[in-house]
Amino acid sequence: LGATIALLITTTLATAITRSITRPLRTIENALQHIADGDLRIRCDIQSTDEVGRMAAALNRTVTNTDQTIGGIHEIARQLSSSSEELAASSGQVSGNVETIASATRELLGSIDHIATSTEQAAQVASSAVELGTSASDLVGDLSHSAQAIGTVIDLIGGIARQTNLL
């Protein structure tokens, strides 16, 4: 009878010890399955301070740190996306500004060509005016000589007329 009681106590103790180990391990296994499926909200609720309890606490810290890291990566990706959109918008503005400058440069070159043509025409007109001025000066000189010759002839005729009246 004593042996039966001892066997019963030993079996009860062995079952209790086995359950105190396997239940927390099943809880950790279940949590690891959820984590493997991408659920980082799961935590192991094991309050013991033995090896299994410390392992559960370490797993909880790991999941928390991983969740925070992924959240940080998500925020950085969001900021990067926003920066990319801003950069694309700025690039569009720069492209528009470059096109505006190119257009203004084309207009300026057209104006410069027009000014060069006008300047060339003005130089030709000025050259023609100088030639006409020279011709006019020559004509005025010729007219002056002719007027002097006419004056001489008139003086001669006047002299003859005075001599004729004297007769």
Side-chain angles (χ1 to χ4, degrees):
L1 182 67
T4 306
I5 292 177
L7 182 62
L8 187 59
I9 290 174
T10 303
T11 304
T12 304
L13 279 173
T15 303
I17 291 172
T18 301
R19 283 186 182 161
S20 72
I21 294 172
T22 58
R23 280 189 184 154
L25 287 177
R26 280 191 196 123
T27 301
I28 292 172
E29 177 189 19
N30 183 37
L32 286 171
Q33 288 296 329
H34 282 276
I35 292 166
D37 291 338
D39 183 5
L40 297 178
R41 295 170 298 160
I42 195 80
R43 300 292 184 271
C44 295
D45 188 28
I46 299 173
Q47 302 301 322
S48 69
T49 57
D50 61 2
E51 292 82 5
V52 175
R54 288 193 304 268
M55 185 171 64
L59 178 63
N60 286 340
R61 284 193 311 274
T62 300
V63 171
T64 299
N65 291 340
T66 302
D67 190 35
Q68 289 173 350
T69 301
I70 290 173
I73 290 170
H74 177 70
E75 178 61 23
I76 289 171
R78 188 193 62 73
Q79 290 173 357
L80 183 60
S81 173
S82 175
S83 295
S84 295
E85 289 173 5
E86 289 174 12
L87 183 59
S90 295
S91 176
Q93 287 176 338
V94 167
S95 177
N97 290 343
V98 167
E99 181 57 37
T100 300
I101 290 169
S103 176
T105 302
R106 285 190 295 271
E107 288 180 27
L108 181 62
L109 288 174
S111 295
I112 289 171
D113 285 343
H114 180 70
I115 289 170
T117 301
S118 296
T119 302
E120 186 177 316
Q121 290 172 348
Q124 289 173 354
V125 167
S127 176
S128 295
V130 167
E131 288 175 14
L132 286 175
T134 302
S135 294
S137 175
D138 291 344
L139 275 173
V140 168
D142 289 345
L143 283 175
S144 174
H145 290 307
S146 294
Q148 285 174 355
I150 291 173
T152 303
V153 169
I154 290 175
D155 285 343
L156 187 64
I157 292 174
I160 293 173
R162 274 189 298 261
Q163 286 178 5
T164 307
N165 278 340
L166 290 177
L167 290 172

